Amino acid sequence: MMRPTDMFRSSRSMLGRRAVASAATATMAGLVLAMAGCASPTPSFYTLAGAGGASNTANTASAGNVGTNAPATPYAIEVSPVAVPEQVDRPQIVVTKGGGQVDILEASRWAAPLKNELTSTISRGLTQRLGAMDVYGLPRADGVTVYRLSTSVQRFESAPGEQAALTAVWTVRRVPGDVVLTCRFNGTEPASGGIPEVVAAQRKLVGQLTDSIGRAIATSAQGATPRCDG
């Protein structure tokens, strides 16, 4: 038979173990809550797709509908990967602040690497404007003229609440043939608001750049001499 002193010691031991277990449970719960509080928010993803829209209609109309009709002679385009500055060549959206400072936004990201966003957006815009296929990376058929586009972005600046700025140098080369044109695009768009508004402003700028390139290719394909805008 267990003596009263032994029973007391056993009860006290059980109470102690329960207290330790309760404390451990509370500590674990606190850690879980703390980790949840420190977890990064789910990022928002943005794209430059759709840059061709309304600007295409207005600009091609002012150029005598160059680029809106089927090509006079069969040709294709070849949109090489766009070169972008290393400062913005990252998944996160980079915004410009005063004093030469920038913020790299972990919670606001491009849906694809920026160079891919620019390349695919320009390619899609040109195929829609010109009615020509982009054959980059594909064998070139004999007898088909190809307009090869090279683009180097020199400035891609996003300042929410202020403006978006895009500067790019582009060259179109006719294959077979020579360089058709080398031009510099430099544009800004107001961007009142936050990240969605500054992305929309960049989308407009890419549309304007694509308009300029499309007009040059279409003009050359129709046998005329293209010129740089402005």
Side-chain angles (χ1 to χ4, degrees), residues 1 19-20 25 45 54 61 68 70 85 96 102 108 112 122 126 151 158 164 178-179 209 212 222:
M1 179 180 297
V20 170
T25 300
F45 292 92
T68 60
T96 304
V102 298
S108 298
I122 293 172
L126 289 176
T151 308
S158 303
D178 301 320
V179 171
L209 169 63
S212 298
Q222 294 176 1

Side-chain angles (χ1 to χ4, degrees), residues 40-126:
S40 300
T42 302
S44 298
F45 292 92
Y46 297 88
T47 180
L48 293 170
S55 64
N56 177 41
T57 302
N59 290 337
T60 52
S62 63
N65 291 327
V66 169
T68 60
N69 302 317
T73 57
Y75 68 86
I77 61 173
E78 185 178 287
V79 180
S80 300
V82 175
V84 299
E86 291 185 3
Q87 294 91 333
V88 293
D89 187 19
R90 58 182 72 243
Q92 303 92 336
I93 292 178
V94 178
V95 297
T96 304
K97 300 170 61 179
Q101 295 182 325
V102 298
D103 276 344
I104 300 173
L105 306 182
E106 294 293 339
S108 298
R109 299 178 174 237
W110 296 111
L114 182 56
K115 64 178 65 176
N116 294 357
E117 282 282 331
L118 287 164
T119 304
S120 62
T121 300
I122 293 172
S123 171
R124 181 166 48 251
L126 289 176

